[in-house]
Amino acid sequence: MADATIALASSCRLMDAPSRPSAHNFPSTKDGKVLRSQHMIDPLDVTAVAPYQSMPVSGPLITHHCAKSSALPVVEPNPDMTAEEREAAVDEVISKYMKKLSERTYHHLGYPYNLDFNYGPLEGLTKYSINNLGDPFIESNYGVHSREFEVGVLNWFARLWDINEDEYWGYITTCGTEGNLHGIYVGRENHPDGILYASCESHYSVFKAARMYRMPAEKISTLESGEINYDELRERLVANKGKPAVLNVNVGTTVKGAVDDLDRVLEILTEAGYEEKDFYIHCDGALFGMMMPFLNKDAPLVTFKKPIGSVSVSGHKFVGAPVPCGVVLTRFSYVMALSSDVEYLNSRDATIMGSRNGHAPIYLWYTLTLKGYDGMRRDVEKCMRNAFVLKNMLEKAGIRTMLNELSNTVVFERPKEEAFVRKWQLACEGDIAHVIVMPNIDIEKLEEFVQDYIQSRARSAILAAKQVASEARAIEEEVAGSQ
């Protein structure tokens, strides 16, 4: 029976990828106002899931559940309630919210966040407004900061990516996007007339940077694996010879987890006649940039021993943190092109943001200190091993999958049930979805997911069969009525 169910579910036709509306064709009210609610469509429409990150999202592709999840109003204190009663009412709201977070954390598979962390010993820090404004290497007049932790974390990453402490500059960012914005910003400032090159499967923030900085950009197609199309990259570089090149190299793409071969990109630059003074390479390592240095396999390592300009990673992804954060490192010689002194801060301005979260460096320092390089390596090995286990389980169930050799992102057929997608918080794009196997995901949870997915496919298959039968009965009735 189980084999029959799998075969039936596997025979279902995959949905067509949703069409993309024009970004300038939005409805408006009679008085010309454009309303957010008019840009949304039925949240139960399974074809209306917004593509995940590597494709820009606009208009009706975005779904929402306003009818099911209303905002929590901020209300004035009720004068008829005592202070204790008001606090109890607020505590009840927070308690319910924490239960929701617990359930949502358990059913979390589609996005690259390590939810296996415990910062209980650091809870006392929440009563301090810790702000690392300005340059992390120059103490400002604001004394409630965590620069000593921040620089310690930066030095840890400098050793990971092979650059001397005196030769790099960097800071703890709010997220991987800020790291990309800063890396490309440094590239643009060192090559004001440069052209940005990036694959079409790069994170959306890469081309956002091009728009923000008014940079001409070349969007390069990808291979089936998700890697950049190296032949097309060579053609574009040759065609634009004479203009500096600012390149984004992906160390794990958003959807397929593909790694662009840095060594091959460098070879192509040489073949196209570009010297080191003619290009700047930013490496977007949001998730996998933290993992690749710990792999035993041959991999195009990201290292400042090669002529790269900057590297960025997310801190809340593989390391894990209760707040979004990240790390960006560049060469000190490059950052000088954009830094300036700010008397008001008694510091130097070279970051994207002004005020910066001072708690985030402490979270990163805490985990990296407790785990060390060996602990991080064990986490990487576990993720890679379990990704292979998930791939095998899905294939045994008759579900088509893809797993790049240098990746913990398992890609498979997009589920038809929107409720199933939302339950497991899957990231979807077109006719594919993926699970990113992080340190907090064990084999038991993967097994539960696969069993649930098989049942979902069976339900979809039965509904499809019933629809065919219903249409056939309608035709029979029509034929009988005409006789």
Side-chain angles (χ1 to χ4, degrees):
M1 179 62 183
D3 292 341
T5 300
I6 293 172
L8 177 62
S10 300
S11 67
C12 292
R13 183 183 69 83
L14 291 173
M15 69 181 72
D16 296 328
S19 58
R20 308 274 291 282
S22 168
H24 304 287
N25 190 28
F26 293 141
S28 60
T29 60
K30 291 182 179 180
D31 57 0
K33 294 181 180 178
V34 180
L35 304 179
R36 180 172 62 244
S37 60
Q38 293 180 333
H39 294 198
M40 308 296 184
I41 57 178
D42 181 6
L44 300 181
D45 180 356
V46 297
T47 66
V49 179
Y52 172 51
Q53 292 198 351
S54 74
M55 294 173 63
V57 177
S58 61
L61 279 176
I62 304 172
T63 66
H64 67 152
H65 287 257
C66 284
K68 298 181 179 179
S69 177
S70 58
L72 286 171
V74 178
V75 297
E76 289 298 307
N78 186 338
D80 296 329
M81 298 175 65
T82 65
E84 291 76 12
E85 289 173 333
R86 288 196 296 268
E87 289 181 7
V90 171
D91 288 345
E92 183 180 0
V93 172
I94 298 301
S95 177
K96 290 180 180 178
Y97 177 62
M98 290 182 69
K99 290 180 181 178
K100 174 186 174 182
L101 289 180
S102 178
E103 186 279 326
R104 292 285 72 200
T105 296
Y106 180 82
H107 293 101
H108 175 270
L109 289 181
Y111 296 86
Y113 307 135
N114 179 8
L115 305 182
D116 183 20
F117 56 81
N118 179 13
Y119 292 107
L122 305 182
E123 289 179 357
L125 297 173
T126 59
K127 64 181 180 181
Y128 299 105
S129 179
I130 309 176
N131 192 331
N132 288 4
L133 51 84
D135 191 310
F137 301 94
I138 302 176
E139 184 171 351
S140 75
N141 288 337
Y142 184 71
V144 188
H145 61 76
S146 63
R147 278 178 169 77
E148 56 269 59
F149 292 94
E150 181 172 18
V151 175
V153 171
L154 295 174
N155 287 341
W156 189 92
F157 279 94
R159 291 191 295 272
L160 186 69
W161 293 324
D162 299 314
I163 185 169
N164 293 330
E165 293 181 8
D166 288 340
E167 295 179 10
Y168 85 85
W169 185 91
Y171 70 102
I172 306 297
T173 63
T174 56
C175 59
T177 288
E178 185 182 350
N180 287 341
L181 293 177
H182 191 274
I184 295 171
Y185 179 40
V186 174
R188 199 285 303 269
E189 291 300 281
N190 280 272
H191 299 288
D193 58 344
I195 298 174
L196 177 64
Y197 298 82
S199 82
C200 61
E201 295 197 31
S202 297
H203 190 264
Y204 65 86
S205 61
V206 172
F207 292 104
K208 176 193 287 188
R211 294 191 300 272
M212 289 176 63
Y213 306 146
R214 297 293 189 265
M215 294 177 68
E218 296 277 5
K219 185 177 291 189
I220 311 299
S221 66
T222 55
L223 307 177
E224 186 176 354
S225 65
E227 291 178 70
I228 194 169
N229 186 323
Y230 302 103
D231 292 337
E232 183 178 335
L233 174 63
R234 180 186 291 103
E235 292 173 1
R236 302 284 184 92
L237 286 169
V238 170
N240 295 323
K241 187 70 172 67
K243 290 281 188 180
V246 178
L247 300 97
N248 178 79
V249 171
N250 292 311
V251 190
T253 57
T254 307
V255 176
K256 297 179 181 177
V259 176
D260 296 336
D261 190 329
L262 174 60
D263 294 336
R264 192 165 178 185
V265 170
L266 289 169
E267 290 174 1
I268 289 171
L269 284 165
T270 300
E271 293 167 0
Y274 288 75
E275 299 178 10
E276 187 172 346
K277 63 180 179 62
D278 302 321
F279 66 82
Y280 178 98
I281 294 177
H282 171 69
C283 298
D284 176 12
L287 168 64
F288 209 68
M290 275 293 302
M291 299 176 65
M292 198 162 67
F294 299 103
L295 293 177
N296 294 324
K297 301 176 182 178
D298 292 333
L301 289 178
V302 172
T303 168
F304 280 94
K305 291 181 178 179
K306 301 174 183 178
I308 63 174
S310 53
V311 186
S312 65
V313 295
S314 295
H316 60 287
K317 290 182 177 174
F318 194 76
V319 177
V323 295
C325 56
V327 175
V328 62
L329 254 61
T330 185
R331 298 180 189 274
F332 183 77
S333 58
Y334 286 152
V335 82
M336 296 301 292
L338 55 91
S339 63
S340 59
D341 293 338
V342 181
E343 182 179 4
Y344 166 73
L345 302 179
N346 191 31
S347 186
R348 180 180 296 122
D349 174 32
T351 60
I352 296 289
M353 300 299 175
S355 291
R356 296 187 296 106
N357 188 335
H359 290 85
I362 305 175
Y363 294 136
L364 297 180
W365 178 91
Y366 184 83
T367 295
L368 295 176
T369 299
L370 290 182
K371 288 189 175 182
Y373 291 107
D374 287 340
M376 298 300 293
R377 179 176 290 104
R378 286 193 294 271
D379 281 351
V380 170
E381 291 171 350
K382 174 187 174 183
C383 291
M384 300 297 285
R385 187 170 59 248
N386 286 349
F388 187 73
V389 169
L390 175 59
K391 176 179 181 292
N392 284 345
M393 284 196 292
L394 289 171
E395 288 179 341
K396 292 292 184 182
I399 300 169
R400 289 173 291 172
T401 67
M402 184 191 81
L403 174 62
N404 279 308
E405 182 180 5
L406 298 175
S407 180
N408 60 326
T409 300
V410 181
V411 182
F412 48 88
E413 304 170 39
R414 178 177 181 163
K416 290 178 176 291
E417 288 188 322
E418 172 68 3
F420 177 83
V421 169
R422 290 192 173 274
K423 173 182 177 180
W424 291 98
Q425 302 165 64
L426 300 181
C428 301
E429 180 185 89
D431 61 358
I432 63 175
H434 73 211
V435 163
I436 303 180
V437 182
M438 301 298 289
N440 61 295
I441 299 174
D442 55 25
I443 294 176
E444 287 71 26
K445 185 173 292 187
L446 294 176
E447 185 178 17
E448 179 184 349
F449 167 74
V450 172
Q451 291 176 355
D452 201 6
Y453 187 17
I454 293 171
Q455 294 170 5
S456 172
R457 286 165 67 89
R459 288 192 297 268
S460 297
I462 291 170
L463 286 175
K466 286 184 175 181
Q467 179 65 29
V468 171
S470 176
E471 292 172 355
R473 280 193 292 268
I475 294 174
E476 284 186 352
E477 291 173 1
E478 182 178 346
V479 171
S482 62
Q483 291 179 348

